Amino acid sequence: MKSSIYVEFSEKQIAENELVAAAKRIWVDNGHKASELKSLQLYIKPEDNTVYCVFNQDIEEKFTLD
């Protein structure tokens, strides 16, 4: 089975894979190796235009939705 998740808000739409890719870029841009990423939780808060990330159940970051 294939599934897709989309978040829609303020006449915008963003796919799950785009959110994950953006979070992974943050991980690598912060000096980590991609292979070191073992888990990723994303908390999407459309009313704040923000995605909160938890990497490896420890490191927290956030980014804005585009």
Side-chain angles (χ1 to χ4, degrees), residues 4-58:
S4 299
I5 297 173
Y6 297 91
V7 177
E8 293 186 336
F9 62 99
S10 294
E11 300 179 18
K12 300 177 188 176
Q13 183 185 70
I14 189 164
E16 174 189 19
N17 63 333
E18 295 174 65
L19 296 170
V20 171
K24 286 181 177 179
R25 277 193 302 276
I26 290 171
W27 176 258
V28 172
D29 289 349
N30 283 334
H32 303 282
K33 294 181 182 177
S35 61
E36 295 173 328
L37 183 57
K38 303 299 180 195
S39 69
L40 173 63
Q41 289 81 40
L42 299 177
Y43 300 88
I44 305 156
K45 197 167 179 185
E47 64 270 21
D48 293 341
N49 203 39
T50 304
V51 178
Y52 297 89
C53 313
V54 180
F55 300 97
N56 294 343
Q57 299 177 338
D58 182 41

